Structure formats: structure tokens, C-alpha cells
């Protein structure tokens, strides 16, 4: 593809873009249980208008565009209250949960450099169910990652295992409220108490739940304490682009006080251009996401969020019951919000996921790790609500379709791949060969995923990560 010699017309651009669109999942129809955080078409318009009004403004320098700072402060103050924080709690607006978590980890590292200078090789402890972005943060900021087991029944962090993993180098403990994969809240009070006892910081990953959970409690859900009202909690991440229903690119990292946040901010007057003060990772950044988040919060108000939380809570409790009533399926743990996972001791859940896909339903297959089996994940959103009973019918049909399939469909293939050592240095040709065995060539997107998921599930994590990195690198090539 080359830059066109003459520019395209506005109409041509619109038509081409809608052409691209045709291949996309139509998530507004409520048949995707994933990242489709959405309330209504009207709200979408309100938020879009706000984003559009500020998307060309650069939030880099608040002296030029103080309006963005004003919106950010209002959004921050609302977030701090949602997080049970007092007037000392401060935050920064970020592009997403990953950026919020990256910053919390970097802040903890730099806090430790100042307050625990004897630590030269800092360590971060997370439960197995913590989001992958903590692995990313550890990699990016050179903090040693220590992953501890969770309880197989409840899928919650095993606090005794976390305590056993603490060393003189531990600087940060993490719990989720709730975890993404299984939707359960870790025992945050106990984790925070451990953090206090061992003079470490404690981050609550409230990316998905931090904003809306208080409204679930109002709706009658038995939500355990998880927020700044617990003394040892020092930071929390909270995504607006999830259950506050803002447009993407909107999250916040909150700290117990401004002294902690100091360690997050990057300042540079040591070059030849404008002086830089970057509280977050981006430098030039659009004002659109802040305006969108501001508009979402103001449009919904407590009443709007309360209603959505009530409906999501009821639908989740209902679908948990429905799933558990299907022979062979069981919901994992007791989900605290509107995210859940279910597994099966007998059925091939990856084939089940494909069978649902054939019926137009998109769910997320999840891999087995340690003592947790492979599962299917649902994140429930308002567009799904009118279709929940239809989903249960499709689920029953899909289960019947795959009921007699083997739990592992190609044991010989998997065994032969499992013979490869986890630390093997695989060349390009070997990896290409492995993908060819799975029927994936070049940069085509795979269709049926069951076999690939089974393989990922069976192989050692480092090997899978290497293969997928390679695959994605191929996928994003473009034939000229
Ligand atoms: C989504 C999520 C993240 C990462 O957020 P992104 O916005 O996708 O970067 C982190 N933690 C939890 C619990 C999440 O649900």
C-alpha cells in the first residue's frame, strides 16, 4: 500500500472505512461478552460529542488548555470518592488500566528507592489471577515479579502464600477488586494488613470494578471491603472506559496522598526544547478522553450508575444459576460483580467457545494455570441484558453439540509439542512449521480457535509467549 498520489474525497474515505467495518463483530447487538462497555445509543452520542469537542486539544500543557485540567480535577475527585478516599487521595488521568498499573508499579519502585534504600532488587507480589499488565510492568521497570497461588475453590488470593513469599526486597503487594478472569474480589483487608506489617505499598487493581462496585453494594451484592477505607491500601487503578462507560483511553491511578504520587512524575528541563512535566506516560495527548469521561460521569449521575449496576447484578446472578444448571458446566468461585467464568471437568470448553461463535456469540476462552482449570469468561454489559435468556438457549445447544467431543482433541500433536523444552530457542522456520500444523499460514487471522487454544493451554507459558509474539509480528506485516 502506498500513500495515494491525490487525496481521497471525504465520501470515499467514509465509504472505505465502513467497508473495513463489515468484518468486525457487531458488539452493539449484545452478543459479545467482552470489552463492549456501553449503556445506550444516547449516552454514546453524548460521550462522542464531548470527545470530539476536545480531541484536537493537547493536554500536554495545562497552561494553554486549562479546561482539560479542570475536567481532570473533577473526574479525579469523583474517582477518589468512589474509591473510599479522603481529601488527601490524588490521582492522574491515564490512557487505560495498563498505564495506570504501570505507573503504580513504577511509583512503588521509586518510592522504595527513597524510603527503603537498602532494597536494590525490588520485588512485587501478585496473586496468580492478577492482570497480565503487572507482568508487563515488572518487565518494563525491572521489578522482580513473584506470582503466588490462589484458592482453587474461591479463585481468591491465598494470603498465607503471599506472606510466605515476602522477602526483605518486597516493595509492593497487589490484590484485585475484582479480578478480571473470574470476577472475584481478593481479601484486600488481609493483603493490606500484610503490606503494613512489612512496610510495603499495596495496590488494589480496581480497573474493572473500582468505579461501579459501590453501586453493586447498593443493589444488594455482598461486596467485601477493598478500597482506601482500608488503612494499608496505598494506590488503586480505576478504568473509566470499562464500567464507567466512557470512551476508550480513560483510566485513573489514585494514590493515598500526594507524597506518593511525587514518585510518578517525570520532569525534564535538561534538553533544548520546552520544559517537560509529565505526570503520566504520554506527553502530547488528546483532551478527548478526559472530556469523554467527564461527560459519561455527569450524564449518568449516581442514579444512572445505580440502575445499571442493579440490572447487571440481577442478570449476573441469574446467568450464574442458569450456567450451573447445565449438565457439565460450573461457575468458578462466587463472582462479586458482573464478570464470571465457568469451567467443565468433562467438556472441551475451547470447542464450546467455537460452537458459541458459530451461533454468533463471542465469549473469551481462558487458559488453565496451576490449580485453575481452563474456562470461558463473560463480562456482562447493558447491551447483553435483553439477550441473556437467548444466550442460555444457545449455550445449551452448543454444549449438546460438543458433548461427545474429546476433552483434548489431538493428544498426539500436543504430546509432541510438549516434548519441546520450555526454554527452547525456536527459529523462525520451526515456529512457522508449528503454526502450519495448526493450519495457520502467513498473516491470516485464524478462524476456528479450539485447536490453538488447546495448544496454548497445554504448552509451557514461556514457549507459548514466544510463539504468539512471533505470530503477532507476522500478523502485522503488510504485503506491498
Ligand atoms: C482491563 C483490566 C486491566 C487493564 O486495563 P486496560 O484498560 O485494558 O489496559 C487491568 N486490570 C484489570 C482487573 C482489568 O480488568
Amino acid at each position: 500500500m502506498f500513500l495515494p498520489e491525490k487525496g481521497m474525497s471525504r465520501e470515499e474515505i467514509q465509504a472505505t472505512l465502513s467497508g473495513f467495518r463489515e468484518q468486525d463483530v457487531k458488539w452493539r447487538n449484545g452478543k459479545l461478552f467482552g470489552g463492549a462497555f456501553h449503556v445506550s445509543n444516547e449516552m454514546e452520542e453524548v460521550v462522542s460529542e464531548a470527545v470530539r469537542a476536545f480531541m484536537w486539544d493537547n493536554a500536554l500543557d495545562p497552561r494553554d488548555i486549562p479546561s482539560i485540567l479542570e475536567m481532570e480535577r473533577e473526574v479525579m475527585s469523583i474517582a477518589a470518592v468512589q474509591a473510599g478516599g479522603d481529601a488527601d487521595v490524588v490521582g492522574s488521568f491515564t490512557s487505560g488500566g495498563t498505564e495506570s498499573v504501570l505507573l503504580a508499579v513504577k511509583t512503588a519502585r521509586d518510592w522504595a528507592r527513597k524510603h527503603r534504600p537498602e532494597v536494590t532488587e525490588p520485588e512485587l507480589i501478585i496473586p496468580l489471577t492478577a492482570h497480565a499488565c503487572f507482568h508487563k510492568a515488572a518487565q518494563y521497570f525491572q521489578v522482580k515479579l513473584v506470582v503466588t497461588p490462589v484458592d482453587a475453590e474461591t479463585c481468591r488470593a491465598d494470603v498465607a502464600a503471599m506472606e510466605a513469599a515476602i522477602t526483605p526486597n518486597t516493595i509492593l503487594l497487589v490484590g484485585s477488586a475484582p479480578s478480571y478472569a473470574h470476577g472475584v474480589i481478593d481479601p484486600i483487608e488481609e493483603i493490606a494488613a500484610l503490606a503494613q506489617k512489612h512496610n510495603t505499598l499495596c495496590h488494589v487493581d480496581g480497573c474493572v470494578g473500582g468505579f461501579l462496585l459501590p453501586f453493586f453494594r447498593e443493589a444488594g451484592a455482598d461486596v467485601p471491603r477493598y478500597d482506601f477505607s482500608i488503612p494499608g491500601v496505598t494506590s488503586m487503578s480505576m478504568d473509566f472506559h470499562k464500567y464507567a462507560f466512557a470512551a476508550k483511553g480513560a483510566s485513573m491511578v489514585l494514590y493515598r496522598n500526594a507524597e506518593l504520587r511525587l514518585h510518578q512524575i517525570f520532569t525534564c528541563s535538561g534538553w533544548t526544547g520546552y520544559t517537560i512535566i509529565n505526570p503520566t506516560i504520554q506527553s502530547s495527548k488528546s483532551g478527548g478522553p478526559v472530556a469523554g469521561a467527564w461527560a459519561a460521569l455527569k450524564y449518568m449521575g449516581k442514579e444512572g450508575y445505580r440502575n445499571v449496576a442493579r440490572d447487571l447484578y440481577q442478570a449476573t446472578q441469574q446467568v450464574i444459576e442458569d450456567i450451573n444448571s447445565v449438565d457439565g458446566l460450573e461457575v468458578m468461585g462466587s463472582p462479586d460483580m458482573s464478570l464470571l467464568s465457568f469451567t467443565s471437568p468433562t467438556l472441551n470448553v475451547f470447542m464450546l467457545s467455537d460452537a458459541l461463535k458459530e451461533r454468533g456469540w463471542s465469549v473469551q476462552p481462558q487458559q488453565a494455570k496451576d490449580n485453575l482449570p481452563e474456562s470461558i469468561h463473560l463480562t456482562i454489559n447493558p447491551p447483553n441484558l435483553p439477550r441473556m435468556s437467548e444466550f442460555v438457549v444457545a449455550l445449551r445447544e452448543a454444549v449438546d453439540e460438543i458433548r461427545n467431543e474429546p476433552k483434548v482433541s489431538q493428544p498426539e500433536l500436543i504430546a509432541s509439542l510438549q516434548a519441546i523444552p520450555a526454554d527452547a530457542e525456536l527459529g523462525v522456520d520451526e515456529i512457522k512449521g508449528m503454526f502450519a500444523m495448526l493450519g495457520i499460514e502467513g498473516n491470516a487471522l485464524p478462524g476456528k480457535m479450539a485447536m490453538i487454544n488447546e495448544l496454548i493451554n497445554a504448552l509451557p507459558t514461556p514457549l507459548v509467549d514466544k510463539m504468539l509474539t512471533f505470530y503477532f509480528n507476522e500478523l502485522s506485516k503488510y504485503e506491498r
Side-chain angles (χ1 to χ4, degrees):
M1 181 60 74
F2 297 97
L3 200 56
E5 185 56 41
K6 266 170 73 76
M8 291 161 78
S9 70
R10 183 177 178 177
E11 290 72 27
E12 264 179 298
I13 286 180
Q14 281 169 353
T16 311
L17 290 179
S18 18
F20 289 159
R21 266 255 173 258
E22 267 157 39
Q23 54 196 325
D24 298 349
V25 171
K26 309 285 178 287
W27 54 265
R28 285 181 186 76
N29 72 6
K31 293 181 81 170
L32 175 94
F33 289 100
F37 297 90
H38 196 256
V39 169
S40 65
N41 293 341
E42 178 172 304
M43 180 180 181
E44 178 176 338
E45 274 170 38
V46 172
V47 173
S48 303
E49 277 161 17
V51 170
R52 205 182 152 135
F54 285 88
M55 66 189 288
W56 292 95
D57 293 295
N58 196 343
L60 170 65
D61 189 339
R63 289 170 308 175
D64 294 334
I65 322 276
S67 57
I68 296 175
L69 186 63
E70 188 172 338
M71 287 185 284
E72 179 169 343
R73 284 195 184 126
E74 287 195 19
V75 165
M76 176 182 98
S77 152
I78 292 170
V81 172
Q82 282 307 101
D86 59 21
D88 287 341
V89 168
V90 294
S92 298
F93 193 88
T94 71
S95 64
T98 299
E99 188 182 350
S100 293
V101 165
L102 289 177
L103 287 171
V105 171
K106 179 220 136 26
T107 298
R109 186 197 66 180
D110 292 357
W111 167 86
R113 282 179 181 167
K114 172 150 185 231
H115 295 279
R116 297 193 32 208
E118 71 286 358
V119 177
T120 51
E121 291 177 17
E123 297 177 14
L124 148 72
I125 301 177
I126 61 168
L128 178 69
T129 48
H131 192 277
C133 59
F134 289 96
H135 295 245
K136 187 175 184 177
Q139 222 181 73
Y140 277 19
F141 297 121
Q142 291 179 334
V143 176
K144 182 179 167 200
L145 184 72
V146 179
V147 182
T148 54
V150 300
D151 184 283
E153 273 308 303
T154 63
C155 305
R156 296 180 206 276
D158 175 345
V159 181
M162 290 181 84
E163 176 150 41
I166 292 177
T167 74
N169 291 330
T170 306
I171 60 158
L172 179 64
L173 306 183
V174 170
S176 308
S179 64
Y180 178 80
H182 309 291
V184 303
I185 300 176
D186 286 325
I188 303 293
E189 279 187 277
E190 292 170 53
I191 296 173
L194 263 191
Q196 280 192 308
K197 182 170 152 199
H198 294 273
N199 190 24
T200 76
L201 298 185
C202 173
H203 183 80
V204 174
D205 185 1
C207 278
V208 77
F211 183 78
L212 206 57
L213 267 175
F215 296 108
F216 274 73
R217 194 178 274 141
E218 281 188 36
D222 185 16
V223 176
R225 281 173 78 207
Y226 61 89
D227 61 14
F228 282 109
S229 66
I230 302 168
V233 171
T234 53
S235 58
M236 188 195 284
S237 40
M238 177 191 288
D239 292 351
F240 302 114
H241 65 204
K242 288 190 182 145
Y243 282 115
F245 309 103
K248 299 284 177 294
S251 173
M252 181 149 281
V253 55
L254 293 152
Y255 296 95
R256 175 156 303 275
N257 55 48
E259 196 278 326
L260 275 172
R261 188 176 59 179
L262 263 187
H263 301 288
Q264 177 185 287
I265 300 173
F266 172 79
T267 305
C268 181
S269 55
W271 72 304
T272 53
Y274 53 91
T275 294
I276 282 184
I277 310 170
N278 287 159
T280 60
I281 294 179
Q282 290 178 298
S283 200
S284 284
K285 59 179 177 182
S286 169
V290 189
W294 185 92
L297 299 175
K298 299 286 173 163
Y299 174 80
M300 291 290 281
K302 284 186 184 163
E303 189 186 18
Y305 287 119
R306 193 178 287 134
N307 290 339
V308 165
R310 183 200 55 221
D311 295 348
L312 290 174
Y313 174 58
Q314 287 169 358
T316 307
Q317 294 308 307
Q318 181 62 49
V319 81
I320 288 173
E321 213 176 281
D322 293 340
I323 293 168
N324 281 332
S325 76
V326 178
D327 186 25
L329 298 185
E330 45 195 61
V331 171
M332 298 173 74
S334 36
D336 287 306
M337 204 184 162
S338 42
L339 307 98
L340 63 96
S341 63
F342 56 95
T343 186
S344 174
T346 49
L347 304 174
N348 184 322
V349 295
F350 301 125
M351 288 189 146
L352 179 57
S353 167
D354 278 357
L356 283 166
K357 186 86 200 168
E358 272 163 28
R359 290 165 173 78
W361 296 91
S362 302
V363 296
Q364 291 179 340
Q366 302 186 136
Q367 309 302 323
K369 285 284 167 249
D370 293 354
N371 57 347
L372 299 184
E374 64 272 17
S375 60
I376 287 181
H377 169 94
L378 306 182
T379 294
I380 301 168
N381 260 284
N384 305 124
L385 296 179
R387 312 197 73 152
M388 292 308 284
S389 41
E390 203 187 319
F391 168 70
V392 174
V393 172
L395 180 65
R396 287 181 177 280
E397 277 175 25
V399 164
D400 287 341
E401 181 185 310
I402 60 105
R403 190 171 292 286
N404 296 321
E405 298 286 352
K407 180 117 172 93
V408 176
S409 53
Q410 292 195 53
E412 304 81 20
L413 173 63
I414 286 178
S416 71
L417 293 170
Q418 274 175 329
I420 304 169
D423 57 357
E425 277 304 323
L426 295 177
V428 169
D429 290 337
E430 284 149 309
I431 298 181
K432 276 193 175 161
M434 290 166 79
F435 280 114
M437 271 197 274
L438 297 168
I440 300 174
E441 307 272 2
N443 68 355
L445 283 167
K448 284 212 174 197
M449 287 294 297
M451 194 53 227
I452 297 167
N453 282 321
E454 275 189 51
L455 189 78
I456 292 175
N457 199 42
L459 291 178
T461 303
L463 189 60
V464 171
D465 288 350
K466 215 178 286 177
M467 285 177 64
L468 294 180
T469 303
F470 174 84
Y471 170 67
F472 199 83
N473 199 32
E474 289 293 303
L475 185 68
S476 31
K477 278 184 183 167
Y478 199 94
E479 305 296 335
R480 271 191 285 272

